[in-house]
Amino acid sequence: MSDAESLAGGESLQARYAEDWTLGILWSPALWDACQARAKPLRLWATGPAQPGSNGGEFTPSLYVDPADPARLWYTPHPGLPAALFVPLPATRAAIEQALAEFGPRPPPLDLAEAKTVRAYMGAASFLRVPNPYSGELEAAGPHELDRHFNFSPAVTPHAWGSAFADDPLPDARPMSQLQTIVALREIRQQLAESLPRFTRRAWFSQAHVAIEMHARGTYVWEVKYRPSRFTSEVLAELNALAGQRYPADLPLDVAAALHGFMFLDAEWFAAEIAQETDPGQRGALVSGALAVAADDIVEASRIARAAITRELHDQVAVANAAVQYNWQFLLEELGSTTTSDELRAQITNVLIEGIAPPQVDEHGEPADLYDSIGGAEEEEEDDA
């Protein structure tokens, strides 16, 4: 960049954080303030080849420099990502090449066989909120509302695919008519039979898979498959500190941008909380969350459940509910033979006699009763108020 272009590029970045919060990122005051502070001294140093982006736009890899610290550059695969997630690099050719190879343009597709997987509790639709793009008001984060939120995301694809597809079925989607687009987006939301509904989006720059798994009563669980990043540990440590989160140190920056503002409670967090919780009702809720996060690992889920079975009735009820939801009949049988609650044993017996129904989804691939559970929770909140 020339001096004039460099100055103009820096001013454009700073102007972004002088305006209102943008759609597609679930901003917090702390993240916005951190972006303002990061952007303030920067000037645009260079740009890389643009690549096709969201909603017909382009993403332009950009390198910024602070004139007071010229030995360090700040890299982002797209200036629309939060400035607090720009990656610090030594001002060397080798470091720039390595960053471009990892974050784009056009990094290699994710190798699912070698990808790292993390799961975490995201929250419940009854209390998670995302902004309405038309009114700006916060609304309950049902599947439709999440679709609208991520439609504006600079971090992940606007389209999401169901569990019937292992990988992105639209990796290089050609321009389609409106009717073709509607048909394609509906077709890719198909779910595997008798499985938990799951919608996955591809991170634009790291190619990570960011999935939202939908459990009973509007409970959401993250499942992220990603190629560990070599560059983000410093940035993620700062983000964890300002947001009070537990993101892995090697999580790609575009994934962190997509997750920010939602909960991210992993298995280690639940284990620590269960161990110190003395209130039976609260501990039962924690057991439910821990079993949701571990629902893909029957060995770990069994360990959590069997420890809970030996405790009080709230813990046992949590295990029973999870066993019904995830079709863990063997755990129901164990619990039914050990519980001292006649009522719980009778309920378990009835379930075992009638059988456990698989998850039900509607024509959109979403849990059939999800919006009923959201509405019921909101009505309870209004009654309480």
Side-chain angles (χ1 to χ4, degrees):
M1 294 291 152
S2 68
D3 288 345
E5 291 170 329
S6 179
L7 180 61
E11 290 175 344
S12 175
L13 180 66
Q14 292 145 22
R16 166 180 166 80
Y17 297 104
E19 301 172 354
D20 294 331
W21 292 0
T22 53
L23 293 171
I25 299 290
L26 207 54
W27 294 98
S28 65
L31 179 59
W32 191 258
D33 291 347
C35 289
Q36 289 180 323
R38 176 65 45 78
K40 185 176 181 180
L42 297 185
R43 301 291 182 265
L44 184 60
W45 185 75
T47 59
Q51 60 179 313
S54 178
N55 299 315
E58 287 186 332
F59 296 136
T60 303
S62 302
L63 288 150
Y64 293 84
V65 64
D66 178 353
D69 185 15
R72 180 166 63 171
L73 300 174
W74 296 90
Y75 174 71
T76 179
H78 176 47
L81 290 173
L85 299 183
F86 289 5
V87 177
L89 299 174
T92 66
R93 178 189 180 96
I96 294 170
E97 288 178 342
Q98 290 174 354
L100 289 172
E102 179 172 317
F103 297 117
R106 299 258 176 206
L110 183 68
D111 185 341
L112 293 174
E114 298 181 0
K116 181 176 178 179
T117 300
V118 294
R119 290 172 61 88
Y121 179 81
M122 175 182 174
S126 59
F127 65 80
L128 287 178
R129 296 290 184 269
V130 292
N132 183 301
Y134 306 110
S135 68
E137 298 294 325
L138 294 177
E139 57 187 358
H144 302 173
E145 291 73 26
L146 288 172
D147 284 345
R148 290 197 302 198
H149 169 72
F150 288 115
N151 188 53
F152 296 92
S153 173
V156 294
T157 58
H159 67 270
W161 65 91
S163 60
F165 300 87
D167 208 342
D168 188 353
L170 301 175
D172 293 301
R174 299 175 181 175
M176 296 182 288
S177 69
Q178 184 175 7
L179 179 58
Q180 289 174 320
T181 300
I182 293 172
V183 172
L185 294 181
R186 174 165 290 196
E187 287 179 346
I188 68 174
R189 294 175 73 85
Q190 296 176 26
Q191 305 290 347
L192 287 173
E194 301 186 2
S195 68
L196 287 170
R198 177 191 297 145
F199 291 105
T200 306
R201 291 174 173 83
R202 177 169 50 86
W204 280 115
F205 312 110
S206 65
Q207 304 297 307
H209 289 186
V210 182
I212 298 174
E213 200 172 74
M214 298 184 175
H215 298 230
R217 295 179 295 280
T219 297
Y220 297 155
V221 171
W222 293 113
E223 181 174 281
V224 183
K225 297 180 182 293
Y226 66 97
R227 192 164 32 227
S229 173
R230 296 172 294 172
F231 294 97
T232 57
S233 59
E234 179 181 339
V235 176
L236 266 293
E238 293 176 355
L239 181 63
N240 282 337
L242 71 87
Q245 290 286 13
R246 298 171 54 89
Y247 302 134
D250 58 2
L251 193 71
L253 61 89
D254 48 4
V255 176
L259 301 185
H260 182 270
F262 300 98
M263 300 176 74
F264 190 85
L265 305 178
D266 59 14
E268 291 183 2
W269 183 90
F270 277 105
E273 292 298 310
I274 290 172
Q276 68 179 11
E277 183 58 64
T278 58
D279 179 84
Q282 291 295 327
R283 192 173 58 242
L286 290 168
V287 169
S288 295
L291 290 172
V293 171
D296 70 321
D297 184 343
I298 191 61
V299 174
E300 178 61 13
S302 298
R303 185 193 65 78
I304 295 169
R306 285 171 174 146
I309 285 173
T310 64
R311 296 193 293 261
E312 301 182 54
L313 183 60
H314 286 87
D315 301 68
Q316 297 175 8
V317 170
V319 171
N321 288 333
V324 171
Q325 180 178 184
Y326 308 126
N327 202 358
W328 296 332
Q329 182 171 324
F330 71 98
L331 282 176
L332 275 181
E333 293 171 349
E334 289 184 26
L335 179 54
S337 65
T338 58
T339 182
T340 58
S341 169
D342 293 337
E343 182 179 359
L344 180 57
R345 184 182 301 106
Q347 292 173 342
I348 290 173
T349 300
N350 289 335
V351 169
L352 293 174
I353 291 172
E354 295 176 4
I356 302 173
Q360 302 297 313
V361 299
D362 61 18
E363 67 273 17
H364 303 292
E366 301 164 6
D369 61 348
L370 179 58
Y371 279 94
D372 291 340
S373 66
I374 294 174
E378 289 181 337
E379 289 172 6
E380 290 178 7
E381 291 176 2
E382 291 176 1
D383 291 342
D384 290 343

